[in-house]
Amino acid sequence: MKPLIFTPLELRVLALLAIFGLLVPNGIFVYYFFNDPEVSRIAMSNPISLVFMTEAFFLMFLFAWLLRKAGSTKPNGLVFIIMSLVGSMVFSVPAALWLTFRNRGVK
């Protein structure tokens, strides 16, 4: 497997994706969570929604484990889990990639 190397443009796109993930999907969730809590209750009682939420949790732990296996210290697996719970996977995956590769040599 070839080493993972990001160009400066790709790193900027990862940063923008992380910002988008934190503000847009997470912002919509926070808005409805506080302004219409019934929507959250309905989602939690919907079996299809629960499947997607369960899958997201499994993927969160898988990515945290992969970060640990790769020897990532910034962010480490625990920080990735916290970022995923505070934001979303749309935030935490590009943010973790950006944090991991921003100071490495780029081609």
Side-chain angles (χ1 to χ4, degrees):
M1 185 183 304
K2 294 189 315 188
L4 196 55
I5 298 173
F6 292 99
T7 66
L9 176 62
E10 291 169 330
L11 288 171
R12 282 192 293 274
V13 169
L14 286 171
L16 289 172
L17 279 172
I19 292 167
F20 171 83
L22 185 63
L23 297 178
V24 177
N26 197 46
I28 293 169
F29 170 78
V30 169
Y31 173 81
Y32 278 102
F33 185 79
F34 288 110
N35 291 312
D36 193 358
E38 184 63 21
V39 172
S40 296
R41 281 189 225 107
I42 291 169
M44 294 298 286
S45 65
N46 183 326
I48 295 172
S49 294
L50 288 174
V51 168
F52 284 111
M53 287 184 254
T54 303
E55 179 184 26
F57 266 87
F58 279 118
L59 287 172
M60 174 183 67
F61 289 114
L62 173 66
F63 287 137
W65 175 76
L66 287 172
L67 283 171
R68 186 170 182 262
K69 283 294 270 187
S72 177
T73 57
K74 292 183 182 179
N76 62 26
L78 179 61
V79 170
F80 178 81
I81 290 172
I82 292 168
M83 288 181 353
S84 296
L85 293 174
V86 169
S88 66
M89 293 291 284
V90 179
F91 160 68
S92 60
V93 171
L97 288 171
W98 180 79
L99 288 168
T100 301
F101 291 98
R102 66 186 169 157
N103 293 326
R104 293 189 184 178
V106 292
K107 291 186 179 180

XYZ file of all heavy atoms in Angstrom:
854
model
N 0.844 -1.177 0.000
C 0.000 0.000 0.000
C 0.887 1.236 0.000
O 1.846 1.318 0.749
C -0.903 -0.022 1.234
C -1.880 1.096 1.240
S -2.940 1.232 2.696
C -3.715 -0.345 2.771
N 0.548 2.191 -0.846
C 1.306 3.434 -0.927
C 0.992 4.306 0.286
O -0.114 4.272 0.815
C 0.941 4.194 -2.199
C 1.345 3.483 -3.460
C 1.182 4.326 -4.710
C -0.096 5.077 -4.791
N -0.334 5.750 -6.059
N 1.987 5.120 0.724
C 1.706 6.046 1.826
C 0.676 7.092 1.396
O 0.596 7.462 0.233
C 3.059 6.682 2.124
C 3.883 6.438 0.910
C 3.342 5.215 0.235
N -0.089 7.533 2.343
C -1.138 8.519 2.085
C -0.526 9.915 2.113
O 0.019 10.349 3.135
C -2.226 8.382 3.148
C -3.560 9.029 2.901
C -4.167 8.565 1.580
C -4.513 8.699 4.024
N -0.597 10.605 0.999
C -0.044 11.954 0.889
C -1.120 12.856 0.281
O -1.743 12.496 -0.714
C 1.217 11.965 0.009
C 2.297 11.092 0.644
C 1.724 13.383 -0.187
C 3.517 10.890 -0.225
N -1.314 14.018 0.897
C -2.305 14.976 0.420
C -1.606 16.210 -0.130
O -0.625 16.678 0.431
C -3.250 15.393 1.548
C -4.148 14.297 2.018
C -3.847 13.571 3.156
C -5.292 13.970 1.314
C -4.667 12.556 3.585
C -6.124 12.948 1.737
C -5.805 12.238 2.874
N -2.143 16.748 -1.220
C -1.640 18.005 -1.771
C -2.174 19.156 -0.908
O -3.140 18.974 -0.155
C -2.108 18.200 -3.223
O -3.537 18.349 -3.227
C -1.697 17.025 -4.102
N -1.580 20.343 -1.026
C -2.112 21.487 -0.273
C -3.592 21.757 -0.594
O -4.364 22.087 0.307
C -1.225 22.651 -0.708
C 0.070 22.011 -1.075
C -0.308 20.680 -1.686
N -3.988 21.596 -1.848
C -5.396 21.797 -2.215
C -6.287 20.767 -1.524
O -7.349 21.112 -1.002
C -5.570 21.721 -3.733
C -7.021 21.809 -4.229
C -7.640 23.147 -3.843
C -7.088 21.579 -5.728
N -5.853 19.526 -1.519
C -6.648 18.482 -0.852
C -6.769 18.743 0.643
O -7.828 18.507 1.238
C -6.019 17.105 -1.101
C -6.138 16.641 -2.538
C -5.305 15.423 -2.850
O -4.242 15.226 -2.218
O -5.722 14.655 -3.740
N -5.714 19.243 1.260
C -5.781 19.587 2.686
C -6.768 20.722 2.932
O -7.514 20.697 3.913
C -4.393 19.951 3.214
C -3.424 18.780 3.378
C -2.027 19.287 3.683
C -3.912 17.831 4.454
N -6.798 21.715 2.032
C -7.767 22.808 2.178
C -9.196 22.280 2.024
O -10.099 22.695 2.749
C -7.488 23.922 1.172
C -6.324 24.810 1.579
C -6.255 26.065 0.729
N -5.919 25.788 -0.668
C -4.696 25.671 -1.143
N -3.665 25.810 -0.350
N -4.496 25.425 -2.423
N -9.397 21.364 1.074
C -10.729 20.772 0.881
C -11.138 19.988 2.124
O -12.294 20.063 2.560
C -10.760 19.886 -0.387
C -12.041 19.065 -0.460
C -10.612 20.746 -1.633
N -10.210 19.244 2.728
C -10.523 18.520 3.964
C -10.926 19.492 5.076
O -11.883 19.233 5.820
C -9.332 17.671 4.414
C -9.069 16.409 3.618
C -7.743 15.784 4.039
C -10.209 15.415 3.788
N -10.204 20.595 5.196
C -10.545 21.592 6.216
C -11.935 22.181 5.961
O -12.733 22.336 6.893
C -9.490 22.699 6.255
N -12.225 22.486 4.698
C -13.554 23.025 4.362
C -14.658 21.999 4.618
O -15.739 22.349 5.110
C -13.587 23.489 2.908
C -12.780 24.747 2.596
C -12.741 24.999 1.094
C -13.348 25.946 3.334
N -14.401 20.730 4.306
C -15.385 19.683 4.592
C -15.643 19.562 6.088
O -16.779 19.369 6.520
C -14.906 18.340 4.040
C -15.131 18.080 2.574
C -14.416 16.795 2.150
C -16.611 17.980 2.272
N -14.585 19.666 6.886
C -14.745 19.594 8.335
C -15.590 20.757 8.850
O -16.495 20.566 9.672
C -13.374 19.582 9.020
N -15.320 21.953 8.352
C -16.104 23.123 8.764
C -17.559 22.953 8.329
O -18.484 23.196 9.112
C -15.490 24.414 8.193
C -14.136 24.680 8.851
C -16.425 25.606 8.382
C -13.299 25.732 8.158
N -17.763 22.529 7.087
C -19.121 22.268 6.597
C -19.813 21.233 7.479
O -20.963 21.419 7.890
C -19.057 21.767 5.147
C -20.376 21.266 4.638
C -21.317 22.143 4.134
C -20.676 19.907 4.664
C -22.538 21.682 3.668
C -21.889 19.434 4.204
C -22.841 20.326 3.707
N -19.138 20.131 7.791
C -19.731 19.073 8.601
C -20.095 19.539 10.000
O -21.093 19.098 10.570
N -19.286 20.422 10.554
C -19.579 20.932 11.897
C -20.759 21.892 11.884
O -21.603 21.859 12.777
C -18.338 21.627 12.471
C -18.460 22.113 13.905
C -18.674 20.949 14.860
C -17.226 22.897 14.302
N -20.844 22.726 10.846
C -21.873 23.763 10.841
C -23.203 23.316 10.233
O -24.256 23.619 10.786
C -21.360 24.995 10.081
C -20.153 25.691 10.694
C -19.707 26.850 9.822
C -20.449 26.130 12.106
N -23.172 22.613 9.108
C -24.427 22.338 8.390
C -25.169 21.138 8.964
O -26.219 21.320 9.595
C -24.192 22.229 6.870
C -25.475 21.873 6.149
C -23.641 23.547 6.335
N -24.688 19.884 8.811
C -25.487 18.780 9.363
C -25.628 18.879 10.881
O -26.704 18.647 11.431
C -24.712 17.520 8.971
C -23.700 17.928 7.983
C -23.513 19.401 8.112
N -24.540 19.240 11.546
C -24.601 19.354 13.002
C -25.502 20.523 13.415
O -26.247 20.420 14.390
C -23.185 19.532 13.564
C -23.125 19.255 15.033
O -23.676 18.264 15.498
N -22.459 20.121 15.767
N -25.442 21.621 12.675
C -26.299 22.763 12.981
C -27.770 22.438 12.823
O -28.604 22.844 13.643
N -28.113 21.679 11.784
C -29.505 21.264 11.585
C -29.957 20.369 12.730
O -31.058 20.528 13.268
C -29.663 20.560 10.223
C -29.442 21.564 9.090
C -31.034 19.898 10.099
C -29.309 20.926 7.721
N -29.083 19.432 13.127
C -29.424 18.547 14.250
C -29.659 19.345 15.526
O -30.665 19.145 16.222
C -28.321 17.506 14.476
C -28.504 16.738 15.748
C -29.429 15.704 15.818
C -27.785 17.059 16.894
C -29.628 15.001 16.995
C -27.973 16.374 18.073
C -28.892 15.333 18.117
N -28.740 20.243 15.849
C -28.867 21.030 17.087
C -30.129 21.886 17.046
O -30.853 21.986 18.046
C -27.604 21.891 17.313
C -27.807 22.906 18.421
C -26.407 20.998 17.609
N -30.421 22.480 15.898
C -31.623 23.302 15.773
C -32.872 22.486 16.100
O -33.696 22.897 16.924
C -31.721 23.885 14.360
C -33.032 24.599 14.119
C -33.214 25.905 14.560
C -34.093 23.958 13.487
C -34.421 26.563 14.360
C -35.301 24.598 13.284
C -35.464 25.894 13.722
O -36.667 26.540 13.539
N -33.027 21.341 15.455
C -34.226 20.539 15.683
C -34.232 19.892 17.058
O -35.295 19.697 17.657
C -34.395 19.475 14.587
C -35.026 20.070 13.358
C -34.261 20.386 12.253
C -36.384 20.335 13.319
C -34.831 20.952 11.127
C -36.961 20.907 12.196
C -36.182 21.206 11.112
O -36.764 21.776 10.011
N -33.077 19.556 17.582
C -33.002 18.952 18.914
C -33.572 19.891 19.971
O -34.286 19.466 20.872
C -31.558 18.583 19.248
C -31.409 17.860 20.548
C -31.693 16.514 20.631
C -30.993 18.524 21.687
C -31.562 15.834 21.833
C -30.856 17.864 22.897
C -31.142 16.510 22.966
N -33.254 21.187 19.848
C -33.721 22.145 20.845
C -35.067 22.786 20.498
O -35.811 23.170 21.391
C -32.666 23.235 21.076
C -31.477 22.730 21.832
C -30.250 22.585 21.201
C -31.588 22.379 23.164
C -29.159 22.101 21.895
C -30.493 21.895 23.870
C -29.279 21.758 23.235
N -35.380 22.934 19.224
C -36.613 23.611 18.845
C -37.789 22.685 18.585
O -38.938 23.136 18.624
C -36.377 24.495 17.615
C -35.508 25.680 17.950
O -35.737 26.366 18.925
N -34.487 25.895 17.152
N -37.527 21.427 18.287
C -38.607 20.463 18.060
C -38.137 19.086 18.524
O -37.836 18.208 17.719
C -38.985 20.433 16.577
C -40.287 19.691 16.318
O -40.882 19.161 17.275
O -40.704 19.641 15.146
N -38.061 18.881 19.851
C -37.534 17.627 20.388
C -38.320 16.394 19.945
O -37.801 15.286 19.950
C -37.596 17.791 21.903
C -38.031 19.171 22.178
C -38.426 19.818 20.898
N -39.545 16.587 19.527
C -40.354 15.457 19.072
C -39.721 14.784 17.847
O -39.815 13.563 17.685
C -41.779 15.925 18.753
C -42.726 14.826 18.359
C -42.960 13.805 19.473
O -42.728 14.116 20.664
O -43.367 12.682 19.143
N -39.054 15.565 17.010
C -38.389 15.008 15.832
C -37.316 14.007 16.263
O -37.180 12.929 15.671
C -37.782 16.134 14.954
C -36.926 15.568 13.849
C -38.881 17.004 14.388
N -36.552 14.336 17.305
C -35.533 13.408 17.814
C -36.169 12.145 18.381
O -35.666 11.039 18.164
C -34.684 14.078 18.897
O -33.969 15.153 18.346
N -37.260 12.307 19.106
C -37.951 11.124 19.666
C -38.469 10.219 18.562
O -38.366 8.994 18.647
C -39.088 11.570 20.581
C -38.595 11.992 21.940
C -39.752 12.227 22.913
N -39.436 13.469 23.593
C -40.043 14.634 23.399
N -41.060 14.731 22.593
N -39.667 15.696 24.039
N -39.015 10.813 17.506
C -39.525 10.019 16.383
C -38.373 9.286 15.700
O -38.482 8.100 15.366
C -40.290 10.918 15.386
C -41.590 11.402 16.023
C -40.573 10.177 14.090
C -42.294 12.500 15.231
N -37.240 9.978 15.495
C -36.088 9.341 14.858
C -35.568 8.174 15.690
O -35.212 7.127 15.152
C -34.979 10.360 14.630
N -35.555 8.335 17.014
C -35.065 7.268 17.885
C -36.008 6.067 17.915
O -35.591 4.969 18.259
C -34.853 7.798 19.307
C -33.750 8.825 19.406
S -32.145 8.194 18.949
C -31.774 7.213 20.360
N -37.254 6.268 17.561
C -38.201 5.149 17.555
C -38.350 4.524 16.168
O -39.031 3.519 16.020
C -39.569 5.609 18.067
O -40.121 6.564 17.180
N -37.696 5.099 15.174
C -37.759 4.579 13.809
C -36.657 3.539 13.615
O -35.477 3.857 13.752
C -37.587 5.731 12.818
C -37.712 5.301 11.379
O -37.322 4.208 11.014
N -38.247 6.198 10.572
N -37.005 2.289 13.272
C -35.976 1.252 13.138
C -34.938 1.553 12.049
O -33.762 1.224 12.206
C -36.751 -0.018 12.788
C -38.190 0.305 12.913
C -38.345 1.778 13.071
N -35.342 2.174 10.972
C -34.387 2.498 9.911
C -33.402 3.559 10.403
O -32.193 3.461 10.161
C -35.122 2.945 8.629
C -35.942 1.771 8.083
C -34.143 3.464 7.584
C -36.852 2.103 6.937
N -33.891 4.560 11.106
C -33.003 5.575 11.682
C -32.020 4.941 12.658
O -30.834 5.286 12.679
C -33.798 6.652 12.410
O -34.587 7.390 11.525
N -32.510 4.004 13.462
C -31.641 3.342 14.436
C -30.537 2.541 13.750
O -29.407 2.472 14.251
C -32.462 2.445 15.361
C -33.326 3.189 16.376
C -34.205 2.203 17.147
C -32.460 3.993 17.323
N -30.847 1.937 12.606
C -29.817 1.208 11.861
C -28.714 2.159 11.416
O -27.516 1.871 11.578
C -30.432 0.479 10.644
C -29.353 -0.020 9.702
C -31.315 -0.664 11.095
N -29.080 3.320 10.883
C -28.076 4.290 10.445
C -27.274 4.839 11.624
O -26.057 5.037 11.517
C -28.729 5.430 9.662
C -29.105 5.046 8.261
C -30.439 4.934 7.895
C -28.144 4.785 7.306
C -30.797 4.569 6.607
C -28.481 4.433 6.008
C -29.819 4.318 5.656
N -27.932 5.097 12.751
C -27.216 5.596 13.930
C -26.250 4.545 14.469
O -25.107 4.863 14.831
C -28.207 6.019 15.011
C -28.930 7.301 14.702
S -29.990 7.799 16.056
C -31.595 7.403 15.392
N -26.692 3.286 14.492
C -25.826 2.200 14.955
C -24.624 2.047 14.030
O -23.490 1.880 14.493
C -26.624 0.883 15.029
O -27.746 1.076 15.883
C -25.766 -0.251 15.542
N -24.868 2.115 12.729
C -23.761 2.015 11.777
C -22.762 3.152 11.992
O -21.542 2.932 11.958
C -24.293 2.047 10.347
C -23.195 1.962 9.319
C -23.707 2.080 7.893
O -24.772 2.685 7.675
O -23.009 1.572 7.005
N -23.251 4.363 12.216
C -22.357 5.505 12.447
C -21.505 5.276 13.699
O -20.314 5.600 13.714
C -23.162 6.796 12.568
N -22.093 4.696 14.749
C -21.323 4.416 15.965
C -20.247 3.369 15.696
O -19.104 3.508 16.135
C -22.240 3.970 17.104
C -22.654 5.099 17.992
C -23.771 5.856 17.677
C -21.923 5.431 19.115
C -24.162 6.916 18.476
C -22.300 6.481 19.930
C -23.415 7.226 19.606
N -20.590 2.309 14.968
C -19.589 1.297 14.632
C -18.458 1.893 13.800
O -17.277 1.611 14.045
C -20.225 0.112 13.902
C -20.890 -0.871 14.811
C -22.245 -1.106 14.708
C -20.162 -1.568 15.773
C -22.875 -2.013 15.558
C -20.770 -2.473 16.624
C -22.130 -2.700 16.509
N -18.805 2.713 12.813
C -17.780 3.349 11.991
C -16.912 4.301 12.810
O -15.702 4.392 12.596
C -18.425 4.094 10.820
C -18.986 3.212 9.717
C -19.766 4.056 8.712
C -17.875 2.445 9.033
N -17.512 4.995 13.764
C -16.756 5.901 14.622
C -15.685 5.121 15.386
O -14.516 5.524 15.425
C -17.704 6.602 15.604
C -17.014 7.460 16.634
S -18.150 8.193 17.820
C -18.752 6.756 18.699
N -16.070 3.981 15.967
C -15.098 3.182 16.709
C -14.069 2.538 15.774
O -12.893 2.423 16.127
C -15.799 2.129 17.566
C -16.523 2.724 18.743
C -17.895 2.661 18.818
C -15.831 3.369 19.751
C -18.568 3.220 19.900
C -16.486 3.934 20.836
C -17.862 3.855 20.903
N -14.482 2.150 14.582
C -13.551 1.594 13.608
C -12.497 2.626 13.214
O -11.296 2.337 13.199
C -14.294 1.104 12.361
C -13.415 0.641 11.199
C -12.635 -0.614 11.573
C -14.246 0.409 9.958
N -12.920 3.838 12.893
C -11.964 4.880 12.522
C -11.049 5.243 13.692
O -9.862 5.506 13.496
C -12.682 6.125 11.999
C -13.261 5.957 10.626
C -14.522 6.426 10.340
C -12.557 5.330 9.617
C -15.080 6.278 9.075
C -13.092 5.174 8.347
C -14.361 5.651 8.080
N -11.583 5.263 14.911
C -10.748 5.539 16.083
C -9.685 4.454 16.231
O -8.514 4.750 16.513
C -11.615 5.622 17.339
N -10.070 3.213 16.016
C -9.112 2.101 16.093
C -8.061 2.225 14.996
O -6.872 2.000 15.243
C -9.876 0.778 15.993
C -8.996 -0.422 15.943
C -8.327 -0.997 16.988
C -8.669 -1.187 14.781
N -7.613 -2.076 16.533
C -7.802 -2.220 15.185
C -9.034 -1.105 13.443
C -7.294 -3.155 14.296
C -8.533 -2.038 12.559
C -7.679 -3.052 12.987
N -8.499 2.594 13.777
C -7.549 2.760 12.679
C -6.550 3.882 12.969
O -5.359 3.760 12.655
C -8.287 3.043 11.368
C -9.010 1.850 10.748
C -9.852 2.298 9.560
C -8.035 0.771 10.340
N -7.016 4.969 13.572
C -6.096 6.050 13.949
C -5.064 5.539 14.947
O -3.877 5.860 14.858
C -6.860 7.233 14.546
C -7.586 8.133 13.567
C -8.473 9.115 14.307
C -6.599 8.876 12.684
N -5.518 4.744 15.896
C -4.605 4.172 16.897
C -3.600 3.237 16.230
O -2.405 3.293 16.521
C -5.394 3.446 17.971
C -4.537 2.952 19.094
C -5.402 2.449 20.244
N -4.568 2.022 21.333
C -4.234 0.741 21.548
N -4.680 -0.197 20.761
N -3.460 0.422 22.552
N -4.085 2.370 15.319
C -3.205 1.440 14.619
C -2.175 2.178 13.763
O -1.058 1.715 13.614
C -4.004 0.498 13.712
C -4.716 -0.627 14.399
C -3.775 -1.599 15.023
C -3.393 -2.699 14.054
N -2.606 -3.744 14.673
N -2.579 3.301 13.196
C -1.681 4.087 12.347
C -0.691 4.914 13.166
O 0.184 5.565 12.613
C -2.491 4.999 11.427
N -0.853 4.909 14.483
C 0.054 5.654 15.344
C -0.233 7.138 15.412
O 0.620 7.923 15.798
N -1.443 7.535 15.047
C -1.798 8.953 15.084
C -1.889 9.434 16.530
O -2.498 8.798 17.377
C -3.136 9.172 14.380
O -3.511 10.523 14.469
N -1.252 10.556 16.794
C -1.332 11.148 18.132
C -2.129 12.444 18.128
O -2.568 12.891 19.175
C 0.080 11.433 18.683
O 0.769 12.288 17.767
C 0.857 10.139 18.876
N -2.294 13.053 16.973
C -3.065 14.289 16.860
C -3.976 14.179 15.664
O -3.567 14.472 14.546
C -2.132 15.490 16.703
C -1.335 15.759 17.934
C -0.497 16.988 17.758
C 0.339 17.210 19.015
N 1.182 18.362 18.905
N -5.167 13.760 15.782
C -5.858 13.342 17.000
C -5.641 11.853 17.269
O -5.385 11.082 16.346
C -7.324 13.602 16.671
C -7.412 13.329 15.209
C -6.089 13.788 14.645
N -5.780 11.482 18.518
C -5.751 10.066 18.837
C -7.181 9.528 18.767
O -8.120 10.265 18.471
C -5.106 9.820 20.206
C -5.862 10.468 21.345
O -7.064 10.703 21.262
N -5.157 10.768 22.422
N -7.344 8.245 19.031
C -8.660 7.623 18.902
C -9.712 8.247 19.802
O -10.851 8.459 19.389
N -9.341 8.562 21.047
C -10.308 9.148 21.983
C -10.748 10.534 21.520
O -11.938 10.860 21.567
C -9.708 9.222 23.388
C -10.604 9.833 24.454
C -11.891 9.017 24.607
C -9.877 9.926 25.782
N -9.816 11.336 21.051
C -10.166 12.673 20.551
C -11.082 12.544 19.337
O -12.047 13.308 19.182
C -8.894 13.485 20.217
C -9.236 14.766 19.483
C -8.109 13.775 21.483
N -10.818 11.564 18.473
C -11.682 11.337 17.316
C -13.104 10.993 17.761
O -14.075 11.503 17.197
C -11.118 10.224 16.432
C -11.996 9.915 15.264
C -11.955 10.711 14.135
C -12.891 8.859 15.305
C -12.781 10.445 13.047
C -13.713 8.581 14.230
C -13.661 9.372 13.101
N -13.241 10.134 18.766
C -14.573 9.776 19.268
C -15.281 11.007 19.820
O -16.464 11.230 19.542
C -14.472 8.658 20.325
C -14.071 7.346 19.643
C -15.776 8.495 21.095
C -13.746 6.216 20.593
N -14.577 11.831 20.568
C -15.173 13.058 21.114
C -15.590 13.988 19.976
O -16.693 14.546 19.990
C -14.200 13.750 22.086
C -14.028 12.886 23.346
C -14.688 15.153 22.450
C -12.893 13.309 24.236
N -14.721 14.142 18.962
C -15.068 15.000 17.817
C -16.306 14.464 17.106
O -17.166 15.237 16.682
C -13.899 15.080 16.818
C -12.754 15.897 17.312
S -11.313 16.097 16.195
C -11.582 15.073 14.816
N -16.424 13.146 16.982
C -17.574 12.542 16.311
C -18.857 12.754 17.099
O -19.918 12.983 16.518
C -17.346 11.040 16.115
O -16.260 10.803 15.271
N -18.774 12.665 18.416
C -19.970 12.840 19.237
C -20.388 14.307 19.321
O -21.578 14.616 19.348
C -19.745 12.266 20.633
C -19.578 10.746 20.694
C -19.202 10.305 22.104
C -20.831 10.032 20.217
N -19.416 15.206 19.362
C -19.724 16.635 19.431
C -20.182 17.153 18.073
O -21.123 17.941 17.988
C -18.495 17.432 19.935
C -18.696 18.922 19.768
C -18.208 17.088 21.377
N -19.532 16.699 17.030
C -19.883 17.127 15.673
C -20.634 16.020 14.978
O -21.733 15.664 15.359
N -20.026 15.467 13.979
C -20.603 14.357 13.233
C -19.464 13.669 12.511
O -18.336 14.144 12.521
C -21.647 14.867 12.230
O -21.011 15.654 11.236
N -19.747 12.547 11.865
C -18.713 11.875 11.082
C -18.295 12.742 9.895
O -17.150 12.698 9.465
C -19.211 10.511 10.595
C -19.433 9.505 11.695
S -17.908 8.951 12.461
C -17.305 7.851 11.202
N -19.230 13.552 9.384
C -18.904 14.455 8.278
C -17.909 15.517 8.750
O -17.130 16.041 7.964
C -20.181 15.118 7.708
C -19.860 16.084 6.584
C -21.157 14.067 7.240
N -17.897 15.792 10.035
C -16.922 16.709 10.617
C -15.642 15.970 11.021
O -14.544 16.366 10.650
C -17.522 17.417 11.840
C -16.497 18.002 12.770
C -15.717 19.074 12.379
C -16.306 17.476 14.036
C -14.755 19.607 13.230
C -15.363 18.003 14.894
C -14.581 19.070 14.494
N -15.790 14.876 11.768
C -14.630 14.270 12.409
C -13.676 13.571 11.441
O -12.468 13.620 11.647
C -15.070 13.296 13.504
O -15.864 12.259 12.961
N -14.169 12.929 10.395
C -13.265 12.222 9.472
C -12.371 13.211 8.719
O -11.141 13.079 8.756
C -14.054 11.287 8.524
C -13.151 10.737 7.445
C -14.695 10.158 9.306
N -12.929 14.231 8.031
C -12.014 15.156 7.365
C -11.154 15.951 8.350
O -9.994 16.248 8.063
C -12.919 16.082 6.548
C -14.304 15.779 6.922
C -14.324 14.512 7.702
N -11.695 16.271 9.528
C -10.901 17.000 10.523
C -9.733 16.149 11.004
O -8.607 16.653 11.146
C -11.777 17.423 11.702
N -9.971 14.869 11.257
C -8.892 13.982 11.700
C -7.828 13.836 10.616
O -6.628 13.862 10.908
C -9.464 12.618 12.083
N -8.261 13.687 9.367
C -7.290 13.592 8.270
C -6.489 14.881 8.152
O -5.268 14.857 7.988
C -8.006 13.274 6.958
C -8.552 11.864 6.823
C -9.431 11.747 5.584
C -7.432 10.842 6.793
N -7.162 16.020 8.251
C -6.472 17.302 8.156
C -5.483 17.458 9.313
O -4.334 17.845 9.102
C -7.479 18.446 8.160
C -6.818 19.782 8.052
C -6.335 20.371 6.924
C -6.555 20.688 9.126
N -5.780 21.593 7.233
C -5.904 21.804 8.572
C -6.804 20.659 10.493
C -5.504 22.885 9.347
C -6.408 21.747 11.261
C -5.766 22.837 10.685
N -5.915 17.153 10.538
C -5.027 17.282 11.694
C -3.824 16.350 11.589
O -2.722 16.697 12.000
C -5.789 16.997 12.989
C -6.781 18.063 13.435
C -7.665 17.542 14.552
C -6.054 19.327 13.864
N -4.036 15.166 11.038
C -2.963 14.184 10.929
C -1.944 14.562 9.862
O -0.736 14.415 10.070
C -3.537 12.790 10.613
O -4.445 12.423 11.660
C -2.445 11.748 10.505
N -2.405 15.072 8.729
C -1.516 15.267 7.589
C -1.130 16.713 7.311
O -0.364 16.970 6.385
C -2.151 14.664 6.322
C -2.219 13.174 6.373
C -3.388 12.527 6.754
C -1.110 12.412 6.051
C -3.446 11.145 6.805
C -1.159 11.046 6.108
C -2.322 10.402 6.487
N -1.611 17.673 8.072
C -1.356 19.085 7.739
C 0.109 19.465 7.839
O 0.565 20.349 7.119
C -2.188 19.991 8.639
C -1.774 19.900 10.080
C -2.674 20.663 10.981
N -2.325 20.278 12.352
C -2.560 20.979 13.387
N -3.201 22.105 13.258
N -2.217 20.545 14.571
N 0.873 18.842 8.717
C 2.281 19.222 8.886
C 3.248 18.264 8.206
O 4.451 18.451 8.303
C 2.624 19.321 10.378
C 1.897 20.469 11.037
O 1.680 21.494 10.424
N 1.500 20.287 12.273
N 2.729 17.232 7.551
C 3.602 16.296 6.847
C 3.966 16.875 5.492
O 3.274 17.724 4.941
C 2.906 14.952 6.663
C 2.676 14.252 7.991
C 2.194 12.866 7.771
N 1.893 12.257 9.067
C 1.420 11.047 9.206
N 1.176 10.309 8.152
N 1.175 10.556 10.400
N 5.046 16.374 4.932
C 5.461 16.817 3.606
C 4.387 16.514 2.578
O 3.776 15.471 2.609
N 4.159 17.443 1.682
C 3.154 17.256 0.640
C 3.850 17.274 -0.709
O 4.917 17.840 -0.873
C 2.053 18.350 0.688
C 1.218 18.201 1.924
C 2.656 19.727 0.623
N 3.220 16.623 -1.665
C 3.759 16.589 -3.029
C 2.911 17.404 -3.942
O 1.749 17.539 -3.801
C 3.832 15.161 -3.531
C 4.882 14.367 -2.798
C 5.039 12.996 -3.426
C 6.113 12.245 -2.665
N 6.350 10.937 -3.168
